[in-house]
Amino acid sequence: MANKLISEIPLPKSIANVFSARNVSTAKDALSLTEFELMELLDVGLTEVRSALSQISEIVAPPYQTALSLMEQRFQNEHLGGHFPTGLKGLDAALCGGIPFGVLTELVGPAGIGKTQFCLKLSLLASLPTNYGGLDGRVIYIDVESKFSSRRLLEIGLRSFPEIFQMKEMAQEMAGRILVLRPTSLAEFTQSLEQIKVSLLQNQVKMLVIDSMAALVSGEHEQGARRQQTLSWHISFIKSLAEFSRIPVVVTNQVRSRNHDDASRYSFQVQSRDGAIETPMQYDSHLVAALGIQWAHAVTTRLVLEAKSGERFIKVAKSPISPPLAFPFHITSSGISLLSDDGKEVMGPEINAIHYQGHNEIINFGMEGLH
């Protein structure tokens, strides 16, 4: 509405002509100036300026909403969108049904922990008919690191749904519903995103997977503010895709070494018995999610995959509807499986800490400019 033309607003003809003559063509142009700047630019009195601004503001300002109407709108959106079951019973229960529609869900963890395995299983599930718990639609899988394996996908399908994947025609149909894109640069990725918005309408796409966002950004040479600005655009666009299409959007993220600033940004501070605030540097995890705090705020649900004490865990580190819970899991021929459906509640700094045995092998991808 800010770009609404002044000529389309029912102002008195005399003042409308003055706006036009001074090249003040949109509501944004007019409202970006102070009353006194407009008086000088238009050469009119304060009363006329205030009257015009009042009329413009009334036309372009969004209508107010009550708390009740916002709540009803949210319930309606959740009813239309809902959640997509992951097939992991305990995790689905914690997330009130599974991966939420219309927002970003992030899988973060070190290399080799199981993020791509999780994405493959989710993609497979989304392609299945609804009577098998699927979404009966296409999946767009953006495979940045060339980790997508069609052989592994079919293996997961055969082990999980033998009644479908033992039939060659059905297996080919399900695999054919997953569209794999492999951009080699951020510029190609940007083009892919712009094309995806059209595909969401044309191809009955029911899920978008990006594996992984951090790998794209880390491959660019821009640093600091310019890299952050580039990331901001992509964050906004991906969020708009999720909201526009009302489908689950799953994005994987890598980890990086934690520095001193992350102690205050990503973890809770702990109060000692004498009232002093202790920083959480004493904890043994030195890894945090890459892409920084701006990205962390953009995702609605963050699932951390980590390894600790000889076990792997899926941890609900961020969710508007679930407490922080950790579920032990392992990877089998049928994909990721929970060892227990009873999640263990996570407290304090452990919510944001990322554990990985052998984490010294993790590469720091130069994300210092993205804190």
Side-chain angles (χ1 to χ4, degrees), residues 68-82:
L68 177 61
S69 66
L70 288 172
M71 182 175 66
E72 291 173 343
Q73 182 180 355
R74 178 179 178 181
F75 285 154
Q76 183 181 16
N77 289 340
E78 289 180 350
H79 175 70
L80 294 174

Side-chain angles (χ1 to χ4, degrees), residues 230-256:
T230 301
L231 181 62
S232 297
W233 185 90
H234 288 87
I235 291 173
S236 298
F237 198 93
I238 296 169
K239 286 188 68 175
S240 71
L241 281 178
E243 294 168 0
F244 160 78
S245 60
R246 301 301 302 173
I247 63 172
V249 175
V250 178
V251 183
T252 69
N253 190 7
Q254 299 170 352
V255 295
R256 61 172 176 80

Side-chain angles (χ1 to χ4, degrees), residues 100-332:
F101 286 42
V103 295
L104 303 188
T105 295
E106 176 195 40
L107 306 179
V108 60
I113 195 68
K115 302 187 297 295
T116 298
Q117 298 290 322
F118 202 167
C119 289
L120 290 174
K121 185 66 174 282
L122 290 174
S123 300
L124 182 69
L125 290 171
S127 71
L128 293 177
T130 53
N131 58 316
Y132 284 92
L135 298 177
D136 198 20
R138 295 179 180 272
V139 176
I140 294 180
Y141 195 114
I142 301 181
D143 180 27
V144 178
E145 299 180 277
S146 298
K147 290 184 177 180
F148 182 92
S149 169
S150 55
R151 179 177 297 180
R152 175 62 175 142
L153 180 81
L154 292 174
E155 180 187 22
I156 293 173
L158 184 61
R159 297 294 183 179
S160 303
F161 304 96
E163 63 274 27
I164 293 179
F165 284 85
Q166 282 179 350
M167 295 183 289
K168 184 177 180 180
E169 294 79 7
M170 286 294 292
Q172 289 177 339
E173 181 182 347
M174 294 302 102
R177 291 182 175 186
I178 301 173
L179 313 177
V180 181
L181 304 177
R182 283 179 170 159
T184 58
S185 67
L186 200 56
E188 286 187 17
F189 177 66
T190 303
Q191 292 178 347
S192 298
L193 287 180
E194 292 169 344
Q195 294 169 0
I196 283 171
K197 197 163 188 176
V198 178
S199 299
L200 289 173
L201 292 175
Q202 295 179 343
N203 297 325
Q204 295 183 323
V205 174
K206 297 297 178 69
M207 175 177 280
L208 171 63
V209 177
I210 303 174
D211 183 19
S212 77
M213 189 68 197
L216 273 170
V217 178
S218 66
E220 298 299 303
H221 298 295
E222 292 180 350
Q223 297 292 332
R226 289 192 63 185
R227 178 184 281 183
Q228 190 67 45
Q229 185 178 8
T230 301
L231 181 62
S232 297
W233 185 90
H234 288 87
I235 291 173
S236 298
F237 198 93
I238 296 169
K239 286 188 68 175
S240 71
L241 281 178
E243 294 168 0
F244 160 78
S245 60
R246 301 301 302 173
I247 63 172
V249 175
V250 178
V251 183
T252 69
N253 190 7
Q254 299 170 352
V255 295
R256 61 172 176 80
S257 301
R258 179 164 64 179
N259 60 27
H260 183 271
D261 291 339
D262 295 320
S264 59
R265 288 184 174 183
Y266 290 94
S267 298
F268 292 96
Q269 289 181 310
V270 182
Q271 190 169 14
S272 64
R273 293 181 180 179
D274 60 4
I277 298 296
E278 299 175 357
T279 60
M281 297 300 290
Q282 60 192 342
Y283 293 90
D284 62 351
S285 173
H286 302 285
L287 301 174
V288 295
L291 297 180
I293 194 70
Q294 184 182 14
W295 175 263
H297 286 313
V299 300
T300 299
T301 302
R302 167 174 281 179
L303 302 178
V304 171
L305 281 71
E306 62 179 1
K308 184 180 179 182
S309 302
E311 284 189 297
R312 301 188 191 203
F313 292 89
I314 298 177
K315 181 167 61 182
V316 183
K318 179 184 178 184
S319 168
I321 55 178
S322 172
L325 296 173
F327 298 88
F329 77 93
H330 63 165
I331 300 175
T332 67

